[in-house]
Amino acid sequence: MADAVLIAAQAGRALAEAARRAGLRPYVADLFGDADTLAAAEAYRPLPGRFGTAPAVDATVAALDHLAGAAGRPIGLILGSGFEDAPDLIGRLAARHRLIGASAETVSTLKAPLAFAALCTRLGVPHPAVATDPPPDPRAWLLKRAGGSGGNHIRAATRSPAPQGHYFQQRVPGRPHALNFLADGRTIRILAVTEQWCSPSPIRPFRYAGALARGAGEAPALPVALVDAIAAGTERIVAATGLRGLASADLLVEGSAWWLTEINPRPGATLDILDRRGVPLLRAHIAASLGTMPDPGPHPADAAAAQICYADRELAPVPDLEWPDCVRDRPCPGSVVRRDAPLCTVLAEGADRAEVLALLETHTARLRAVCAAKKTHPEEALS
């Protein structure tokens, strides 16, 4: 029988499907309980809470204890998004289950804004300035929540003091990219450089929308010399913090200049588009977490992208839809999708970047048509 693995995340579907591709049996706890998550999971437990907020500690511990009992002897616990601002919870979970991925100490170091900025300075890694006091010119600064993910927590700075758990980060120019990599605590292996974009809303101007990985035959997203410099800086951070497993480095790039804005010490939102190699990425994640750097195989020939569709009004209840094949994170019929919450994810794969971006538009239009056919008009709720 295939090995069982515990998974906890805000949205666990991508990890659950990646586990199946890796020949594992996923036991999943997340916030949403989407239909395709339930289909992929061997067993499932819901987590209370709201997307973008810290997980409920006792409920998370109880859910994973229950799943571990159902799994028998799982090989370990893989954490997705939502735990970056909860290193104490990570430590508590690691005391109960074998943790596969970044340790609580590593996450704490990487997600403490002042400590991380100081580490970058010491290691010679370009990083925007950070502060806890209100900046003299707020137009040049952003307000962020420590440990936040998905961009929902980022706002324009004001002269007001930062709320508890928040900090200021200086604005820098550039387009968003990410270096996606495997780490073994000492070195890294690059998986891809992905392009990223936002889906702004009036109160969430930097909300994450999607990412694209170019195919092997295309011109690279960034010049090779620039990627080498980014990789070298990232590797210095990995060696200093002992980071292991799948991770990504968020960047802003302007010409030959670049700034590292944060490290995401976990499998991220690009898992769907990166897990197309000879070695399943969750198997590679496990190997790297145990200190053995795997060779995941050659870069995929085709380009791929994933984009989140957000609801701009509440859908209650979600109708019973025939979701197109390109749609993932499908909410169960009768469930509720709150305004500004993720509705679903749209995937596209094609020969090159241009084809993939065109397919994303086509797929989203098809999704709107399916929704309209139900006469629920949630096409207005897609961004």
Side-chain angles (χ1 to χ4, degrees):
M1 181 179 291
D3 290 329
V5 64
L6 302 176
I7 290 170
Q10 290 186 114
R13 189 273 316 160
L15 280 167
E17 290 186 347
R20 289 294 183 185
R21 288 191 290 270
L24 302 170
R25 293 181 293 121
Y27 289 73
V28 183
D30 81 352
L31 296 177
F32 296 103
D34 289 327
D36 38 2
T37 304
L38 300 181
E42 193 83 5
Y44 175 82
R45 296 288 287 185
L47 295 178
R50 186 166 55 86
F51 183 73
T53 62
V57 174
D58 291 339
T60 302
V61 171
L64 288 169
D65 282 353
H66 175 91
L67 290 171
R73 300 185 59 170
I75 61 172
L77 166 64
I78 297 176
L79 298 176
S81 65
F83 291 84
E84 291 89 343
D85 58 349
D88 289 345
L89 174 56
I90 296 175
R92 185 172 167 183
L93 293 172
R96 306 168 78 88
H97 312 285
R98 181 194 194 191
L99 186 62
I100 301 171
S103 68
E105 294 76 16
T106 297
V107 173
S108 180
T109 299
L110 292 173
K111 290 303 180 180
L114 297 182
F116 181 62
L119 177 66
C120 288
T121 299
R122 178 168 66 83
L123 297 177
V125 177
H127 181 277
V130 297
T132 54
D133 294 328
D137 181 5
R139 294 171 299 177
W141 293 77
L142 297 169
L143 177 67
K144 292 186 170 185
R145 179 168 60 82
S149 61
N152 288 291
H153 61 290
I154 304 174
R155 306 284 188 275
T158 67
R159 297 189 184 279
S160 301
Q164 180 69 29
H166 289 67
Y167 67 101
F168 298 102
Q169 185 180 79
Q170 191 172 33
R171 291 179 184 260
V172 294
R175 299 189 62 179
H177 293 77
L179 182 78
N180 302 270
F181 60 92
L182 281 165
D184 63 4
R186 304 175 303 277
T187 61
I188 69 170
R189 184 181 293 272
I190 299 173
L191 297 172
V193 175
T194 52
E195 304 168 54
Q196 299 182 349
W197 58 92
C198 294
S199 174
S201 72
I203 62 172
R204 294 177 174 85
F206 299 97
R207 182 173 63 178
Y208 173 84
L212 180 144
R214 299 191 184 197
E218 291 188 82
L222 297 174
V224 172
L226 185 58
V227 174
D228 288 345
I230 294 167
T234 302
E235 193 164 75
R236 293 195 293 273
I237 292 173
V238 165
T241 61
L243 174 60
R244 297 184 180 220
L246 286 165
S248 60
D250 284 349
L251 314 161
L252 287 169
V253 180
E254 178 82 355
S256 61
W258 62 279
W259 295 265
L260 175 66
T261 57
E262 63 181 329
I263 297 283
N264 300 305
R266 53 170 172 80
T270 53
L271 186 57
D272 285 316
I273 62 176
L274 298 181
D275 196 9
R276 301 180 297 132
R277 293 172 177 252
V279 175
L281 277 191
L282 238 59
R283 285 290 182 189
H285 176 64
I286 293 168
S289 297
L290 297 178
T292 301
M293 182 65 79
D295 181 356
H299 190 82
D302 290 344
Q307 179 170 268
I308 299 174
C309 288
Y310 292 94
D312 67 6
R313 65 180 177 85
E314 182 174 296
L315 298 178
V318 172
D320 186 5
L321 297 175
E322 294 183 10
W323 296 97
D325 291 342
C326 60
V327 172
R328 298 292 186 274
D329 303 313
R330 306 170 179 181
C332 290
S335 62
V336 174
V337 176
R338 303 295 183 189
R339 180 178 180 177
D340 280 338
L343 174 62
C344 62
T345 302
V346 177
L347 305 180
E349 189 171 340
D352 54 28
R353 177 182 184 275
E355 182 177 337
V356 164
L357 291 176
L359 282 171
L360 276 182
E361 281 196 40
T362 301
H363 290 338
T364 302
R366 182 183 175 196
L367 176 60
R368 291 182 175 134
V370 170
C371 293
K374 284 286 184 178
K375 299 183 179 179
T376 57
H377 303 296
E379 70 273 14
E380 298 175 358
L382 301 178
S383 59

